[in-house]
């Protein structure tokens, strides 16, 4: 972890860890569900945007 993390109080660490885990969960939900929505889209340009969003969400989730 970053050296700034060690300078946080226990309450601040608890809040940071909770928020980080919540945001990671949201990214994983988006990564899994966008392809299901994409299967209903017929416009190729919209489908391409959704594929790009899926890719970005997956990379964000992994980071």
């Amino acid at each position: 972890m970053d050296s700034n993390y060690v300078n946080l109080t226990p309450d601040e660490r608890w809040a940071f860890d909770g928020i980080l885990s919540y945001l990671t969960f949201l990214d994983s939900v988006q990564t899994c569900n966008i392809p299901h929505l994409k299967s209903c889209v017929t416009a190729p340009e919209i489908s391409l945007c959704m594929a790009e969003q899926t890719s970005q969400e997956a990379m964000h989730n992994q980071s």
Side-chain angles (χ1 to χ4, degrees):
M1 283 254 161
D2 191 312
S3 61
N4 292 326
Y5 185 82
V6 297
N7 294 326
L8 297 176
T9 67
D11 287 340
E12 290 170 333
R13 286 184 193 183
W14 180 85
F16 178 87
D17 292 342
I19 292 167
L20 186 61
S21 65
Y22 178 72
L23 292 176
T24 301
F25 169 74
L26 289 179
D27 288 339
S28 66
V29 170
Q30 290 173 338
T31 302
C32 293
N33 285 323
I34 293 171
H36 296 293
L37 296 172
K38 187 174 165 286
S39 67
C40 300
V41 173
T42 57
E45 60 274 14
I46 302 300
S47 182
L48 179 62
C49 289
M50 294 176 85
E52 178 61 25
Q53 182 179 358
T54 300
S55 174
Q56 290 178 8
E57 294 296 342
M59 287 186 287
H60 185 222
N61 194 27
Q62 290 300 312
S63 66

